[in-house]
Amino acid sequence: MSREPPGPGEDEAPGAPAAAAAGGAGGAGGAGGEGEGRARAGAEGGGCYLALCARPVHFEKANPVNCVFFDEANKQVFAVRSGGATGVVVKGLEDRNPISFRMEDKGEVKCIKFSLGNKILAVQRTLKSVDFLNFIPDSPQLEYTQECKTKNANILGFCWTSSTEIVFITDQGIEFYQVLPEKRSLKLLKNQSINVNWYMYCPESSVILLSTTVLGNVLQPFYFKSGTMSKLSKFEIELPAAPKSSKLSLSERDIAMATIYGQLYVLYLRHHSRTSNSTGAEVVLYHLPREGSCKKTHILKLNRTGKFALNVVDNLVVVHHQDTETSVIFDIKLKGEFDGSTTIHQFVLPPRSIQPYQIPVAGPASVTSQAPVPCKLYSSSWIVFQPDIIISASEGYLWSLQVKLEPVVNLLLDKGKLMDFLLQRKECKMVILSVCSQMLSEPERGSLSVIATVFDKLNHEYKKYLEAEQSYTMVVETGLSRSNPLLKRPVRTQAVIDQSDMYTHVLSVFTEKKEAPHKFTIAVLMEYIRSLNQFQIAVQHYLYELVIKTLVQHNLFYMLHQFLQYHVLSDSKPLACLLLSLESIYPPAHQLSLDMLKRLSTANDEIVEVLLSKHQVLAALRFIRGIGGHDSISARKFLDAAKQAEDEMLFYTIFRFFEQRNQRLRGNPSFTPGEHCEEHVTFFKQVFGEQALMKPTTF
Amino acid sequence: MAAAAGAAGQEKQLAPTLLSFFIYNPKLGPKEGEEEKKILFYHPNEVEKNEKIRNVGLCEAIVQFTRTFSPTKPAKSLHTQKNRQFFHEPEENFWMVMVVRNPIIEKHKDGKPVYEYQEEELLDKVYSSVLQQCYSMYKLFNGTFLKAMEDGGVKVLKERLEKFFHRYLQTLHLQSCDLLDVFCGISFFPLDKMTYLKIQSFINRMEESLNIVKYTAFLYNDQLIWSGLEQDDMRILYKYLTTSLFPRHMEPELAGRDSPIRAEMPGNLQHYGRFLTGPLNLNDPETKCRFPKIFVNTDDTYEELHLIVYKTLTSPFSLPDTASIPPTLEFCRKLDSIVGPQLTVLASDICEQYNINKRISGAEKEPQFKFIYFNHMNLAEKSTIHMRKTPSVSLASVHPDLMKILGDINSDFSRVDEDEEIIVKAMSDYWVVGKKSDQRELYVILNQKNVNLIEVNEEVKKLCATQFNNIFFLD
C-alpha cells in the first residue's frame, strides 16, 4: 500500500491499513489546493488513458461523528457512526448491497473488517485486543474478545486471511489464529516473535510484509495458506542515501505490494535524493517469489520529483504525480534497458491526467435541475490503495481506477510497440481489431512492413494459445491429467485474435471497401497468410476464398494460378469447388481444381462427378479403375453421362465395360433390376441391335 | 534413319539454315510499280530489288490463293524441295515470312559432291513457333508494328525493324530448334510455401517502397518463381532473360572477369547485388542510367516500361519493371540499398531449399528415361532431355531423330482435343511415349533392351506416379 506523504504534523495512527480517514488523514495534505489553479496539462492534450470507474461507491463522508475505514481484502468501506451505536454501513465495490447494522459503542474504533465472505466481523478498539461478532445465521450473536498473546505488545492491526483465520500484527511479532465462531473463541495456530515497525498485507497473494530493524528497511514476508503460515526469505531495501541517524528510514508510504503478470512484487518509491545523481524519483520493483529470494528486477524512471502515489491496474504500474496532476504508466513486459540485473523502464505514454470526472448528482429527486459537479482530481484528500482503489474521504467516494485503451492508440505511434502494449491488456480485443482496420485504410494507412509486424505479433500470441490448448488436449487424451491435478485448460484471453476475428472485423471489411489499390489489398492478405504460415498455423479456407475473390475481381488470374501452383492456397474441398465455379471465366481453373481434388485423395467421388459433368466419361472410368473403385460404381450414372455426350461409340464402350463387369462379378453380362439400366439396354439394342449384346459365357 | 547414321563416313550433313526473312504489308504498295513500298524489312539486304519484289509477291499470292479455301486460316507454310517457307500474320496485313533451307546430305559420287535435300526433316510447328517468337520478341522491345506506324509512319517502322532484326536474326539457331521452341515454356523453381510467401512479402514491400516499380518477376537459377506480369508477356521476357541476357552476363562471371565491378564499390560489401541492365557503377555520378524499354499488355493498356534487372551473386534475379517514368541514378541507389541486402538473405534461404530438393531427388537412382513435360495452362516446362541453356543453343542430349519423333507426336496431339497416348518403338531399343491429359503433355524417351509394350506402359505409369503425383494426370 502506498500513499502520498502525509500532511505536516499528521500523526500516523497505528491502525493505518484501514485508513482512519477522518479529516483527510493520510491524504496528500501538503499539496492541498496547490494544483487547483494550474491547468491540467494532460487533460488539455487529450487522450486521457486513465479514468475513474463510472459507478463509484458512495459513502457518508468522514466527519467528527462518522469514521470511515477501508478494508483492502474485501474492498469494503465502513462508515461507523458514533462508534457503531448509531449504525455501521458497509459498502463494497463488488458487493453492491450495503450491509447495515448497529453495535454497542465500546470506545473509539481503530480498525474494523469482515472476514472473507462477511462471516465474522472483527473490531479493534484497544491496543491489546480485538473483538469479534458472528454474522453467520443461527450462530451465537454475542461479541467475544481475543487479547494478543505476547505480553506488553501492542496490536498494530489485523488481517483476515480466510473466512475464519486471522493474523494479529503486534509491535513484537505476529499471531495467527483460527476463529471458532460456534465456541465464540479463537485458537492460536502459530506465532512468531519479531520486532515490527509497520506491516502491509496483500490479500491477493495472502502475504504479510513486516518492516523490521531500526531503519525499517529489512522486510520480512509471511505467506498464509489454509491454516499454515510460512516465512519467506527476508530482504533489504536499498535506501537512496545512508541515513544520518538510527531512526526509521523506510516508511510504509513508500512501499506497495501488488501482483503484476501473476507475480508478486514489492514496489518501492525511491524519492529523488540530491546526493545520488538520479534525474528524479523512481519506483524499484522487487520480485518476491513464493520460493527463493527476493530480487530487485525493475526500475521505473519517473524523471520528476514531488509527491507520488502508486496503483496497479491491468498489470500496469500507474504512478500519480500530484504536483502536475498527471499520471504515467509502466509496463514491465515492454522492452527496457537491461543492465545485467535490472531492467530500466521509461513510461510508456506521455503523462496525462485522469479523465475529468463528474460527480453524479445524488438522489433520484434532483433529475435535471442540478448540473453534475466536476470532481477535483488528484485532491489532497485522496487516498490510494492497492491495487486500483482511489478514495476521496472528504467527498465520500471510492473508485477503482481503469485504463482506457482507445486513447492509447493515438499516443503510441509505433504500431509494433502499441501491439506489444495492447496484447497484454485485459479488454484489448476490439481495440486491437480497430487498430488493424485503421492501419489498412486511409488516412493512416501503414506500410506493409508495419502491417507485417503487427500480424506477426498477433499470430505469435494466437500460436501460443493454440499450442497450450493442443498440449492440454494431448494430456487429457493420454489420461495423464489424473496424475497432474494442477493441469488447467488454458484460458483464452482477449489477446488471442484468431483468423475468424481478423476475417470478420478487419479483412473482409477492408476488401469490400475497395478504397485501397488492389495491389495493396492483395499484399495485405498475403502478408497475413505469410504470418500465419510462419507461425505454423493452419490457414482457414475463408481467407483463401477472400484472396481468390479479390484476385478474380481484378482479373488477376495469372497471379491466382501462381499462388495455387506453389500451394500457397492450401488444398481443400471448398477451395476446389470454388475453383470449379471459376471455370467459365478462367478455364485453367478446371485443371487447378482437379489437381487439388487429386491431392486431397479423399475427393475421388468429386473427381468422377467433375469429369462426368464435362462428359469425359472415359476419363472418369479410367480414373476410377486406376484407383480400384470400378467394381462399386453405379453403372447407371456412367451410362447416363455417356448418353448425354451424344457419342454412340462412347456409349457402346461404356456399355460394354459394364457388361464385362457384370460378367466378371456375377457370371452374367446382363444388368440386374437394381441397377436401373433398362432404359439404357433398350437404347443400346435400338442403336446397335439385339445381337450386339454380350452373350453370357458358358463353360 | 538408320542408313543416315551408318553411312556417315562418306556423307556430310548440312544443318538447316536461314535463307531469307522478310516483312511486308500488301496495303502499302497496292499499285503496280510501287511493289517495293510493301517491303518493310528484307534479309539478306544484299538481294537484288526485283528478286525481293518477286519473293514477296509469291508469298502474297500463295496466301491469297489458299485463303479462297480457308478464309480464316490461310497457308502457314510452303514445302518445296530445297526449302520451306513459313508465313505469319501477327497484325492485320503485316506479314512475316521466314525461309529455311532444308537440311542437306552431301554425298560424293565420282568425286563430285551431290546434294540430297531432306524435304521431310523440318517440323512445321517448330519453325512456325520460331517465327512467332521473332514477332513477340520484337514487340516486347518495340511495341506493335501499328504503334510504330502511328509514331512516325513507315519510316520509323522500317528503322525499328532494321535495328531489331539485324541483330536478332543472328541469334536464331535454326539447327537446334526443337519441341521446346514450340512450347516456349517457363521453367519454374520448386519452392516450399514458406519461402515462397517470404518472397511474396519481399516483393510487395519493395514495390511499395519503390513506387515506380510496377511489376516484378523473381527468378532463381534461370527458373521463375514469381511473375507480376501477365503470362504472355512473361513468356517472352523469360525467353529473353534466360537465353540472352543471363547467359551474356554469366560468361564473364564464370571467367572471373566480374570482380573489377564489385571492387569499385567498396560501400556494397554487405550484399552482392548489382544491375544487369542500367548503371554499372552506382558510385559514379557520371554513369548512365539507361534501361531497355519494354512493351507489355499491348492488346489492352499498352504499357511502356523500363526493364531493370538486378541480380545477386548466388544467381537469383529480381527484375522489377518500372512505369514510364525513367529510373534515375538516385532510384537505382535506393533500389540497391533496399533490395540488395534482403535479396542476399532470401537467396541463401532459397539456396538451402535448392539443396534440400537436390538431396531428395539425388537420392533416387539415375532413371532409365528422359522426359519433357509441358502444361499449356501455366506454360510450365520441365525437360531432362536438354542440357543447360547457353547463349547460343539449348542442346538436346538425345539423337535428333528422337527429337523429331517427339515433334511428330506433338503435331498429332495438337490435331485433336481429346486425351490420348502414343507409344513409338524407335531405333536401337528406344521407346518414345507421348501422353496428353487435358492441357498437359508428357514425352518420355526410354532406353531399355528387350522390353515390350506392356512393360513400357508400366514404366511410364511409374514415372507419372513419382514425378507427377500431385497433379491430376490420367493414366
Side-chain angles (χ1 to χ4, degrees):
Chain A
M1 185 181 63
S2 175
R3 64 200 61 175
E4 290 91 338
E10 290 278 344
D11 194 16
E12 276 285 293
E34 265 179 39
E36 214 120 320
R38 253 179 283 162
R40 280 190 201 90
E44 269 175 4
C48 301
Y49 46 81
L50 289 166
L52 301 172
C53 68
R55 292 180 61 205
V57 175
H58 185 42
F59 54 87
E60 191 182 345
K61 55 184 127 179
N63 58 48
V65 289
N66 184 46
C67 291
V68 180
F69 300 89
F70 178 65
D71 169 21
E72 290 169 285
N74 291 322
K75 294 198 169 65
Q76 287 169 328
V77 184
F78 289 74
V80 182
R81 289 185 66 89
S82 322
T86 47
V88 178
V89 179
V90 186
K91 284 180 176 175
L93 252 184
E94 279 129 41
D95 184 10
R96 287 278 158 184
N97 295 323
I99 305 169
S100 310
F101 57 90
R102 279 167 206 277
M103 59 185 190
E104 217 179 308
D105 183 1
K106 289 183 186 169
E108 191 201 343
V109 174
K110 289 178 182 300
C111 184
I112 181 167
K113 287 172 187 177
F114 270 119
S115 73
L116 301 186
N118 302 336
K119 299 277 192 299
I120 304 161
L121 181 73
V123 188
Q124 187 197 353
R125 294 183 176 105
T126 70
L127 287 172
K128 299 291 176 191
S129 64
V130 177
D131 304 323
F132 294 87
L133 189 57
N134 292 342
F135 271 71
I136 307 162
D138 309 321
S139 65
Q141 299 294 309
L142 275 172
E143 268 191 29
Y144 46 104
T145 303
Q146 177 67 44
E147 282 193 20
C148 70
K149 293 278 186 212
T150 322
K151 292 258 157 59
N152 304 323
N154 289 332
I155 298 176
L156 301 176
F158 63 86
C159 322
W160 288 100
T161 59
S162 79
S163 60
T164 54
E165 286 160 356
I166 191 164
V167 183
F168 289 4
I169 299 96
T170 71
D171 51 5
Q172 290 173 34
I174 54 171
E175 298 167 8
F176 185 32
Y177 292 98
Q178 179 166 30
V179 185
L180 307 164
E182 305 298 317
K183 294 186 184 166
R184 299 179 49 243
S185 67
L186 278 79
K187 186 178 120 193
L188 182 69
L189 296 171
K190 206 164 180 186
N191 65 338
Q192 171 99 30
S193 288
I194 184 167
N195 278 325
V196 180
N197 303 313
W198 47 263
Y199 77 96
M200 188 167 288
Y201 178 48
C202 175
E204 257 181 303
S205 51
S206 294
V207 169
I208 291 176
L209 201 61
L210 304 178
S211 154
T212 68
T213 71
V214 182
L215 293 174
N217 66 332
V218 175
L219 301 179
Q220 173 63 61
F222 286 93
Y223 170 58
F224 298 87
K225 199 193 172 188
S226 51
T228 62
M229 173 177 105
S230 35
K231 194 173 171 180
L232 306 179
S233 53
K234 64 180 176 193
F235 61 98
E236 194 178 324
I237 299 276
E238 294 166 38
L239 296 171
K244 289 178 198 101
S245 58
S246 308
K247 69 168 199 175
L248 193 58
S249 302
L250 180 68
S251 158
E252 61 172 313
R253 292 185 307 264
D254 296 332
I255 293 291
M257 263 199 290
T259 309
I260 305 169
Y261 293 117
Q263 297 295 316
L264 182 63
Y265 286 91
V266 173
L267 292 81
Y268 167 47
L269 179 64
R270 181 155 66 185
H271 291 284
H272 172 68
S273 85
R274 274 171 230 286
T275 48
S276 71
N277 44 10
S278 64
T279 50
E282 52 196 29
V283 176
V284 185
L285 267 63
Y286 292 82
H287 179 217
L288 188 55
R290 190 77 26 96
E291 278 160 28
S293 57
C294 185
K295 265 196 213 88
K296 184 166 111 177
T297 52
H298 300 273
I299 293 174
L300 316 180
K301 287 283 187 191
L302 300 177
N303 295 338
R304 43 171 79 178
T305 59
K307 296 180 176 67
F308 299 99
L310 301 177
N311 273 134
V312 172
V313 186
D314 203 358
N315 293 316
L316 294 168
V317 179
V318 181
V319 184
H320 307 290
H321 187 230
Q322 203 190 21
D323 301 10
T324 57
E325 297 191 4
T326 55
S327 308
V328 286
I329 54 176
F330 294 89
D331 185 346
I332 58 168
K333 274 226 177 152
L334 289 188
K335 238 169 108 181
E337 196 185 312
F338 188 64
D339 71 355
S341 61
T342 50
T343 313
I344 298 162
H345 296 267
Q346 305 294 336
F347 37 78
V348 184
L349 302 167
R352 286 288 184 272
S353 159
I354 294 171
Q355 199 171 55
Y357 186 84
Q358 310 277 330
I359 290 180
V361 178
S366 53
V367 198
T368 48
S369 57
Q370 262 178 291
V373 188
C375 174
K376 169 82 187 75
L377 301 174
Y378 299 90
S379 146
S380 56
S381 72
W382 276 16
I383 312 163
V384 172
F385 291 93
Q386 292 321 312
D388 59 350
I389 302 296
I390 293 174
I391 293 177
S392 170
S394 63
E395 281 165 315
Y397 281 100
L398 179 153
W399 296 279
S400 65
L401 187 66
Q402 295 168 334
V403 173
K404 297 260 173 222
L405 296 180
E406 288 85 359
V408 176
V409 174
N410 298 321
L411 292 173
L412 208 53
L413 296 176
D414 177 339
K415 289 277 188 288
K417 201 172 166 195
L418 175 65
M419 278 297 144
D420 287 338
F421 178 82
L422 291 177
L423 282 169
Q424 301 298 340
R425 309 283 75 86
K426 270 197 207 83
E427 308 273 329
C428 60
K429 187 175 208 154
M430 292 324 286
V431 180
I432 289 177
L433 290 170
S434 81
V435 170
C436 289
S437 292
Q438 199 185 49
M439 73 180 178
L440 296 184
S441 49
E442 298 293 356
E444 287 171 73
R445 209 172 90 185
S447 73
L448 283 173
S449 55
V450 167
I451 291 164
T453 311
V454 170
F455 287 165
D456 284 348
K457 287 187 189 292
L458 296 184
N459 288 328
H460 177 72
E461 206 63 31
Y462 179 26
K463 177 65 178 176
K464 269 204 311 212
Y465 169 74
L466 290 178
E467 267 176 351
E469 178 78 32
Q470 196 187 11
S471 57
Y472 170 80
T473 325
M474 227 168 67
V475 172
V476 169
E477 274 170 8
T478 49
L480 286 169
S481 54
R482 261 160 281 143
S483 59
N484 187 1
L486 285 175
L487 185 79
K488 267 188 253 159
R489 188 179 197 96
V491 184
R492 187 183 165 138
T493 65
Q494 286 209 6
V496 178
I497 310 264
D498 64 16
Q499 297 172 59
S500 115
D501 295 329
M502 281 301 279
Y503 175 84
T504 318
H505 298 281
V506 182
L507 298 174
S508 65
V509 185
F510 159 66
T511 49
E512 256 157 47
K513 261 197 276 175
K514 290 180 194 130
E515 57 167 30
H518 61 78
K519 211 168 168 176
F520 180 74
T521 311
I522 292 154
V524 167
L525 294 175
M526 292 317 287
E527 205 54 68
Y528 188 59
I529 289 172
R530 183 218 32 93
S531 180
L532 288 170
N533 271 290
Q534 196 147 315
F535 288 96
Q536 294 166 326
I537 300 168
V539 181
Q540 297 295 318
H541 70 85
Y542 46 74
L543 287 176
Y544 294 142
E545 276 163 27
L546 202 58
V547 173
I548 295 177
K549 231 172 71 187
T550 313
L551 292 170
V552 168
Q553 260 167 15
H554 297 98
N555 284 319
L556 298 168
F557 292 106
Y558 189 45
M559 222 180 247
L560 171 64
H561 203 124
Q562 294 183 68
F563 288 153
L564 288 160
Q565 200 174 314
Y566 281 95
H567 308 299
V568 166
L569 311 177
S570 305
D571 301 341
S572 71
K573 269 190 206 177
L575 209 56
C577 294
L578 179 63
L579 286 173
L580 270 184
S581 72
L582 293 176
E583 197 195 338
S584 57
I585 38 173
Y586 185 60
H590 175 74
Q591 191 191 63
L592 290 166
S593 167
L594 271 183
D595 291 349
M596 194 177 277
L597 290 170
K598 160 95 188 294
R599 285 192 298 266
L600 285 169
S601 78
T602 53
N604 294 331
D605 294 345
E606 282 83 356
I607 292 178
V608 170
E609 291 300 332
V610 169
L611 292 172
L612 288 183
S613 73
K614 307 271 291 176
H615 304 308
Q616 290 180 301
V617 192
L618 261 184
L621 204 55
R622 286 173 67 181
F623 169 74
I624 203 86
R625 196 177 59 183
I627 57 163
H630 55 294
D631 281 354
S632 52
I633 47 168
S634 149
R636 187 192 157 94
K637 188 155 77 179
F638 281 78
L639 289 168
D640 277 345
K643 202 170 159 203
Q644 275 161 26
E646 289 174 355
D647 177 346
E648 285 179 359
M649 269 328 287
L650 178 70
F651 185 80
Y652 182 90
T653 314
I654 301 294
F655 192 86
R656 184 46 47 89
F657 173 85
F658 283 105
E659 278 188 322
Q660 280 165 353
R661 183 180 83 167
N662 293 341
Q663 172 74 36
R664 190 163 41 82
L665 295 178
R666 290 196 303 272
N668 192 315
S670 58
F671 291 89
T672 63
E675 289 178 280
H676 303 291
C677 291
E678 295 79 9
E679 173 199 344
H680 298 105
V681 175
T682 317
F683 179 72
F684 185 85
K685 283 192 227 163
Q686 246 172 41
V687 179
F688 305 104
E690 181 110 36
Q691 73 287 350
L693 285 174
M694 200 172 144
K695 304 281 178 302
T697 29
T698 43
F699 298 101
Chain B
M1 290 172 213
Q10 298 84 33
E11 293 173 8
K12 213 165 111 195
Q13 183 124 25
L14 299 174
T17 52
L18 182 70
L19 280 183
S20 58
F21 184 99
F22 45 91
I23 299 165
Y24 66 91
N25 184 337
K27 295 274 181 270
L28 294 176
K31 285 184 202 148
E32 216 164 309
E34 288 184 347
E35 286 90 348
E36 199 191 352
K37 288 187 180 167
K38 292 180 194 170
I39 305 170
L40 295 164
F41 174 78
Y42 201 102
H43 166 89
N45 199 24
E46 302 78 44
V47 172
E48 200 260 321
K49 188 178 108 182
N50 281 329
E51 196 189 331
K52 284 182 186 171
I53 293 170
R54 259 205 320 278
N55 285 336
V56 167
L58 177 65
C59 293
E60 219 183 310
I62 291 164
V63 169
Q64 210 50 48
F65 173 68
T66 52
R67 218 192 269 277
T68 49
F69 303 102
S70 170
T72 50
K73 282 188 197 165
K76 287 217 167 113
S77 68
L78 175 68
H79 297 209
T80 62
Q81 187 203 7
K82 290 188 178 173
N83 57 41
R84 203 173 281 193
Q85 308 198 9
F86 299 93
F87 313 113
H88 179 47
E89 186 188 19
E91 291 174 41
E92 202 183 0
N93 292 318
F94 285 97
W95 285 88
M96 295 173 82
V97 181
M98 180 170 79
V99 185
V100 181
R101 195 202 63 207
N102 282 327
I104 302 171
I105 293 176
E106 189 186 305
K107 286 182 181 169
H108 288 272
K109 221 174 194 178
D110 311 324
K112 273 194 243 163
V114 177
Y115 298 106
E116 202 171 282
Y117 287 91
Q118 299 193 287
E119 288 169 53
E120 297 308 317
E121 280 303 289
L122 295 182
L123 289 166
D124 277 352
K125 271 199 84 176
V126 170
Y127 292 92
S128 301
S129 304
V130 169
L131 183 58
Q132 281 162 29
Q133 277 165 36
C134 287
Y135 171 72
S136 300
M137 201 62 90
Y138 168 84
K139 193 181 72 173
L140 178 70
F141 290 103
N142 296 280
T144 58
F145 294 155
L146 200 65
K147 185 77 193 330
M149 294 284 277
E150 284 165 12
D151 286 352
V154 182
K155 189 172 165 277
V156 166
L157 177 60
K158 275 184 171 172
E159 280 166 13
R160 287 187 188 169
L161 290 171
E162 181 63 36
K163 200 175 157 218
F164 178 80
F165 283 106
H166 178 70
R167 260 179 50 197
Y168 185 74
L169 290 180
Q170 293 169 16
T171 66
L172 286 181
H173 296 273
L174 295 181
Q175 69 278 14
S176 58
C177 291
D178 61 27
L179 191 56
L180 285 194
D181 293 286
V182 175
F183 295 148
C184 190
I186 294 170
S187 176
F188 286 93
F189 186 82
L191 206 59
D192 72 306
K193 179 162 56 168
M194 197 54 234
T195 318
Y196 188 79
L197 283 167
K198 274 192 207 160
I199 293 171
Q200 268 296 313
S201 172
F202 159 74
I203 291 169
N204 287 335
R205 287 183 212 185
M206 183 212 43
E207 287 186 0
E208 185 186 53
S209 45
L210 301 168
N211 57 7
I212 65 166
V213 174
K214 207 149 181 216
Y215 304 102
T216 308
F218 195 101
L219 291 91
Y220 183 87
N221 221 9
D222 279 9
Q223 291 177 303
L224 185 68
I225 292 177
W226 167 254
S227 162
L229 284 173
E230 284 304 308
Q231 199 176 39
D232 284 337
D233 292 323
M234 193 60 227
R235 181 184 217 171
I236 197 71
L237 181 62
Y238 177 81
K239 172 129 183 132
Y240 165 70
L241 293 171
T242 54
T243 61
S244 174
L245 185 70
F246 294 166
R248 242 184 7 239
H249 283 83
M250 193 69 73
E251 280 165 356
E253 213 164 88
L254 294 172
R257 281 194 282 123
D258 181 41
S259 36
I261 299 170
R262 235 172 304 120
E264 285 166 29
M265 297 190 284
N268 277 6
L269 285 174
Q270 312 88 339
H271 64 84
Y272 300 106
R274 65 189 179 87
F275 289 91
L276 295 194
T277 61
L280 275 178
N281 185 350
L282 289 178
N283 293 339
D284 176 8
E286 301 294 304
T287 194
K288 291 217 171 64
C289 260
R290 248 190 267 138
F291 291 91
K293 278 185 188 173
I294 60 165
F295 297 81
V296 300
N297 289 330
T298 46
D299 299 336
D300 188 11
T301 45
Y302 207 94
E303 292 173 276
E304 184 178 335
L305 307 171
H306 298 263
L307 176 68
I308 304 168
V309 182
Y310 188 84
K311 180 203 173 206
T312 69
L313 184 71
T314 35
S315 86
F317 299 87
S318 159
L319 20 137
D321 307 333
T322 74
S324 44
I325 313 155
T328 59
L329 184 62
E330 197 184 332
F331 165 82
C332 294
R333 288 200 184 122
K334 194 175 169 198
L335 186 141
D336 184 63
S337 68
I338 290 174
V339 174
Q342 289 191 59
L343 201 58
T344 309
V345 173
L346 268 180
S348 69
D349 273 12
I350 301 168
C351 187
E352 205 172 298
Q353 185 73 30
Y354 178 69
N355 290 333
I356 292 168
N357 291 348
K358 238 167 114 182
R359 227 176 300 139
I360 293 167
S361 62
E364 290 163 29
K365 258 190 76 192
E366 184 66 23
Q368 284 293 304
F369 45 73
K370 293 186 167 172
F371 68 86
I372 296 179
Y373 162 85
F374 181 71
N375 182 355
H376 287 274
M377 284 301 174
N378 59 359
L379 308 180
E381 163 190 289
K382 206 171 169 182
S383 167
T384 61
I385 289 175
H386 293 77
M387 329 256 228
R388 201 184 159 74
K389 281 172 184 150
T390 65
S392 47
V393 277
S394 73
L395 285 172
S397 62
V398 296
H399 196 275
D401 289 345
L402 289 171
M403 288 313 291
K404 185 164 179 280
I405 295 176
L406 296 186
D408 285 334
I409 296 177
N410 171 259
S411 308
D412 278 350
F413 284 163
S414 51
R415 248 173 251 136
V416 275
D417 277 340
E418 267 153 47
D419 295 355
E420 56 181 316
E421 187 167 337
I422 297 172
I423 302 182
V424 180
K425 170 90 174 76
M427 73 292 179
S428 51
D429 294 321
Y430 275 108
W431 288 79
V432 178
V433 182
K435 272 168 77 84
K436 182 184 174 215
S437 170
D438 195 22
Q439 299 294 315
R440 296 184 165 107
E441 289 174 29
L442 175 68
Y443 303 86
V444 186
I445 298 174
L446 285 147
N447 186 15
Q448 258 172 305
K449 277 195 168 51
N450 305 323
V451 286
N452 60 29
L453 195 62
I454 293 170
E455 286 162 337
V456 168
N457 197 31
E458 281 304 309
E459 278 298 319
V460 174
K461 259 191 190 172
K462 253 192 264 168
L463 169 73
C464 291
T466 55
Q467 299 275 337
F468 305 103
N469 60 340
N470 59 357
I471 56 169
F472 186 79
F473 208 57
L474 273 178
D475 56 11

